[in-house]
Amino acid sequence: MFTLHFKRYLQIFIGCLLSGAAVNIFLIPSQLLSSGISGIAIILYYMFSLPIGVQLIIYNLPIVYLAYRVFGRLYAIDTIIGMTLFSFSIDATSFLGSYNFIDNRMLGSIFGGVLSGIGFGIIFRADSNTGGLDVVGAVIKKFYSFDVGTAIFTLNLVVIFIGMVMFDINTGLFTLICTYVSAEMTNKVVAGFNRKKSIMIISPRAEQIAPLIMQYLNRGVTFFRGEGAFTRQPKNIMFVVVSLTQVGKIKSIVHALDPVAFMIVSDASEVAGRGFTLKNIIPQEIIDRQNDYEDNDSQY
């Protein structure tokens, strides 16, 4: 249990460190803003040189109380941990801004979005948050059935508009690019990079096709029992998840046994379990069954 909690909090810390570094490496040197409460803190940093991390802790105090009142103690504790680590990371990595790694605002907005998106994605994968508008959006959804993404995006637009008014249009537009890139990268990290293909196959020779897939591709196959709407005949529907490079092999196996089989190939954003995140073991009886099929086919 201790190891599990340690890994989770280490993951949160790494995510906060990456997101905090993104602010100091890319956003501040490019005179860009950030989304949410961080954007307000950066505006006041430009105006009065107030530490961004300290500001975030102060601004998040009422949000932490709101999280406690609405979602309970455990959610509030996670919010405090994420908010504190993120605030600490921003101020602790502030020295990185003096190195001036890039001098192009477009590059700053793109790579700032990429790095911060990776960081926030890691945090969200640990089922945590850094406070700010994420909590506000969750509260809005709870009481007003408003989509969280829409709520957060609307509130972010307000911050970006303030930046346009106080600075210039370019600052707001580059910040919008950064926000978009960050959101896309966050979604990809949360969904996982181990994207696979899920395949559904409908064929009267399903009993012969499935063992070949399991034997030669080392992938499990699941049967669904279906019925043709027109013929009212029972059908075996095969479901299998494979890597992208194995799709062609699946098609070859299916086409060899049933050239007119019906197949659907779809994207699978994240796959976990035996054969992917756990070791896959094909039982010996499956191989023996396949040998029986091959013997029967050779008789015809």
Side-chain angles (χ1 to χ4, degrees), residues 3 7 31 65 112-113 119-120 129 137 174 243 255 258 279 289:
T3 303
K7 289 182 178 179
Q31 291 292 301
Y65 177 75
F120 286 124
N129 66 87
F174 280 122
S243 63
H255 187 268
D258 186 1
K279 184 178 180 180
R289 188 186 305 170

Side-chain angles (χ1 to χ4, degrees), residues 195-265:
R195 293 182 178 272
K196 306 297 179 183
K197 294 290 184 179
S198 62
I199 304 176
M200 298 189 70
I201 308 166
I202 302 176
S203 169
R205 302 207 67 187
E207 294 286 351
Q208 290 80 26
I209 294 173
L212 287 173
I213 294 174
M214 290 186 285
Q215 181 177 355
Y216 294 110
L217 276 74
N218 201 30
R219 296 300 183 196
V221 180
T222 299
F223 280 135
F224 296 108
R225 307 301 177 185
E227 180 181 290
F230 180 74
T231 63
R232 295 298 178 183
Q233 296 295 317
K235 296 178 181 292
N236 277 333
I237 303 172
M238 290 175 286
F239 177 76
V240 58
V241 178
V242 299
S243 63
L244 180 61
T245 57
Q246 292 177 319
V247 174
K249 296 178 182 178
I250 291 279
K251 292 180 178 179
S252 297
I253 292 173
V254 174
H255 187 268
L257 294 179
D258 186 1
V260 295
F262 186 78
M263 294 181 59
I264 301 174
V265 181

Side-chain angles (χ1 to χ4, degrees), residues 77-285:
I77 291 174
D78 271 349
T79 302
I80 292 173
I81 293 173
M83 174 263 294
T84 303
L85 289 176
F86 181 55
S87 301
F88 168 79
S89 298
I90 290 182
D91 284 349
T93 59
S94 59
F95 69 94
L96 295 174
S98 60
Y99 288 98
N100 293 323
F101 292 99
I102 60 172
D103 56 359
N104 185 292
R105 298 188 85 185
M106 176 61 77
L107 292 177
S109 64
I110 293 174
F111 286 99
V114 169
L115 187 58
S116 64
I118 293 174
F120 286 124
I122 293 174
I123 295 168
F124 294 153
R125 281 185 70 91
D127 196 23
S128 185
N129 66 87
T130 58
L133 296 186
D134 294 334
V135 177
V136 176
V139 172
I140 292 175
K141 178 178 176 60
K142 180 178 177 65
F143 289 103
Y144 300 101
S145 299
F146 202 61
D147 181 70
V148 175
T150 303
I152 294 175
F153 182 73
T154 302
L155 294 172
N156 285 335
L157 284 180
V158 174
V159 176
I160 293 173
F161 178 75
I162 294 173
M164 287 183 178
V165 172
M166 298 188 64
F167 299 100
D168 54 65
I169 294 179
N170 287 340
T171 297
L173 294 178
F174 280 122
T175 299
L176 187 60
I177 293 174
C178 180
T179 303
Y180 174 79
V181 173
S182 177
E184 287 296 312
M185 185 57 64
T186 298
N187 291 336
K188 289 186 180 298
V189 174
V190 172
F193 285 100
N194 60 330
R195 293 182 178 272
K196 306 297 179 183
K197 294 290 184 179
S198 62
I199 304 176
M200 298 189 70
I201 308 166
I202 302 176
S203 169
R205 302 207 67 187
E207 294 286 351
Q208 290 80 26
I209 294 173
L212 287 173
I213 294 174
M214 290 186 285
Q215 181 177 355
Y216 294 110
L217 276 74
N218 201 30
R219 296 300 183 196
V221 180
T222 299
F223 280 135
F224 296 108
R225 307 301 177 185
E227 180 181 290
F230 180 74
T231 63
R232 295 298 178 183
Q233 296 295 317
K235 296 178 181 292
N236 277 333
I237 303 172
M238 290 175 286
F239 177 76
V240 58
V241 178
V242 299
S243 63
L244 180 61
T245 57
Q246 292 177 319
V247 174
K249 296 178 182 178
I250 291 279
K251 292 180 178 179
S252 297
I253 292 173
V254 174
H255 187 268
L257 294 179
D258 186 1
V260 295
F262 186 78
M263 294 181 59
I264 301 174
V265 181
S266 306
D267 290 323
S269 61
E270 184 173 6
V271 181
R274 177 171 294 174
F276 293 93
T277 56
L278 298 175
K279 184 178 180 180
N280 191 22
I281 301 175
I282 301 297
Q284 182 63 38
E285 57 265 26

